[in-house]
Amino acid sequence: MRLLTAAVATLTLALGAQFANAAPIEIKFSHVVAENTPKGKMATRFKELVEQRLPGKVSVSVFPNSQLFGDDKVLEAMLLGDVQMAAPSLSKFQKYTPALQIFDLPFLFKDMASVDRFQQSPEGQGLLDSLRKKGYVGLGYLHNGMKQMSANSPLRVPADAAGKKFRIQTSDVLQAQFEAIDAVPLKKPFSEVFTLMQTKAIDGSENPWSNIYSKKFHEVQSYITETNHGVLDYMIVTSAEFWNGLDDDVRAEVKKSLDEAVAYGNQIAAEQAAADRQAVIDSGRTEVIEITDEERQKWVDAMKPVWSKFSDQIGEDLIQAALKANEG
Ligand code: LMR
């Protein structure tokens, strides 16, 4: 009996020591943009909050600038456990959930407040769950901002883009959007955009201000037209296996930290867009073109027919819900 008690005590001690020395759970957070962007800052804030609240239990390593994975590989790598979190743009989920293509429809959302209202609506929140059957958990939306069109020649009306090559994200809606103005869309990774512009392998692209400024696209594009024709936002995702494997209390703290970091990212996104737009103008490296209402209407007329091509895949109800969000 005494022997058994001693054995149990030794085992308890050993397990206790092992637990005390257990390596923290590591969350690798991979993204493709620079650190001085809404997504970069959100990821850094998330790391700080998690490590403050779960010291020694969870550590977060943030890999910006496509250092670990580009968006084409990151979701597959997540299912293999090589990365635990990422926040790809909503344009990169079409092969997982066609309905998410709604965010790429040109001129659908009036402004970022409308995007936010739609994301917070029951329909928008439902889309976060749409990846579950593929093994992912959508943890929230993060804003970047509205996209602007850039090129090596001035783009005032859609005809100015005809025949020009534009880099796009991996999205069929964006492909159709550029085809609708007789341009040539090329799906390419974000990490290649600067070089493609610099070597003139492409003529132009579309991006929000923070991506343009942080990646210096304005230094290799002579004109940026303020079109605000679409949105570039993100979904923060993790794998269901990783997420469900966390202890309840740990998962709750991680989620709380993420929600706070996302709220911070969303709060600074508009300020960052305004500041980066101004910094691009002040740099004098490119010309920012403000179009008239009449010119803008020409872009709307040319691009809006794209909606009907995708309304079956996306769902007409969802499109109506997005339009309702424009009403305030
Ligand atoms: C892009 O590929 O242009 C964007 O998705 C990059 C990003 O994450 O903002």
Side-chain angles (χ1 to χ4, degrees):
M1 188 61 192
R2 204 181 291 160
L3 213 60
L4 187 66
T5 315
V8 169
T10 312
L11 189 68
T12 311
L13 268 177
L15 279 176
Q18 194 191 349
F19 195 70
N21 295 328
I25 297 163
E26 197 193 7
I27 298 181
K28 289 189 188 142
F29 193 131
S30 169
H31 69 82
V32 301
V33 293
E35 283 163 297
N36 58 337
T37 56
K39 183 158 62 179
K41 290 179 181 172
M42 177 280 286
T44 307
R45 177 65 65 95
F46 171 64
K47 172 183 168 65
E48 286 164 4
L49 290 173
V50 167
E51 293 184 352
Q52 209 177 73
R53 288 175 184 162
L54 296 164
K57 275 194 175 173
V58 179
S59 75
V60 179
S61 312
V62 181
F63 298 89
N65 297 311
S66 315
Q67 271 166 18
L68 192 59
F69 293 108
D71 283 334
D72 52 336
K73 290 278 170 335
V74 75
L75 291 173
E76 288 161 36
M78 196 172 276
L79 290 187
L80 297 173
D82 294 337
V83 59
Q84 286 68 42
M85 277 195 193
S89 108
L90 294 164
S91 315
K92 300 192 177 152
F93 288 96
Q94 72 175 36
K95 75 173 182 198
Y96 300 96
T97 305
L100 277 172
Q101 296 180 108
I102 188 165
F103 288 100
D104 282 342
L105 293 181
F107 296 104
L108 176 64
F109 295 105
K110 202 173 65 183
D111 49 25
M112 289 307 292
S114 308
V115 173
D116 195 73
R117 275 193 294 274
F118 175 66
Q119 289 174 349
Q120 301 315 320
S121 72
E123 290 84 357
Q125 290 294 300
L127 286 173
L128 287 178
D129 263 343
S130 62
L131 296 161
R132 278 210 185 254
K133 47 187 179 305
K134 307 276 178 186
Y136 302 97
V137 182
L139 296 171
Y141 292 107
L142 176 74
H143 296 321
N144 186 331
M146 300 302 272
K147 291 178 292 185
Q148 319 302 336
M149 213 71 98
S150 69
N152 283 323
S153 52
L155 304 175
R156 287 196 167 276
V157 291
D160 296 334
K164 304 221 178 298
K165 291 192 208 111
F166 285 84
R167 177 269 172 175
I168 55 163
Q169 303 177 78
T170 48
S171 152
D172 290 350
V173 177
L174 298 180
Q175 181 175 339
Q177 171 193 282
F178 278 99
E179 284 168 357
I181 54 171
D182 296 323
V184 184
L186 299 169
K187 292 178 179 168
K188 296 282 181 189
F190 187 63
S191 56
E192 291 177 21
V193 178
F194 182 88
T195 307
L196 290 168
M197 286 172 170
Q198 194 180 36
T199 58
K200 308 258 189 308
I202 55 171
D203 300 297
S205 187
E206 51 164 24
N207 261 287
W209 289 112
S210 73
N211 284 1
I212 293 172
Y213 184 62
S214 61
K215 289 293 179 191
K216 301 190 183 351
F217 296 158
H218 61 293
E219 296 185 5
V220 282
Q221 294 275 269
S222 313
Y223 300 91
I224 301 174
T225 307
E226 213 164 353
T227 43
N228 289 307
H229 61 283
V231 60
L232 196 157
D233 265 16
Y234 307 108
M235 189 190 287
I236 300 128
V237 280
T238 186
S239 82
E241 192 180 340
F242 171 73
W243 197 240
N244 298 334
L246 294 175
D247 287 345
D248 288 352
D249 53 339
V250 170
R251 192 190 312 112
E253 279 302 333
V254 172
K255 181 67 167 66
K256 189 169 149 211
S257 304
L258 184 71
D259 289 346
E260 282 179 38
V262 166
Y264 163 72
N266 283 343
Q267 182 203 318
I268 60 162
E271 292 158 25
Q272 178 108 36
D276 289 348
R277 172 185 179 276
Q278 196 54 46
V280 166
I281 294 171
D282 293 347
S283 75
R285 303 288 298 262
T286 189
E287 187 182 324
V288 174
I289 301 174
E290 289 179 39
I291 46 175
T292 63
D293 289 348
E294 247 176 37
E295 286 166 338
R296 190 165 196 274
Q297 192 56 44
K298 292 200 166 112
W299 292 94
V300 176
D301 293 344
M303 289 179 165
K304 225 170 145 179
V306 166
W307 294 18
S308 59
K309 286 198 178 142
F310 292 88
S311 62
D312 282 353
Q313 286 181 48
I314 293 170
E316 193 49 44
D317 289 359
L318 208 57
I319 297 177
Q320 290 309 319
L323 289 173
K324 201 161 150 241
N326 283 339
E327 291 163 15

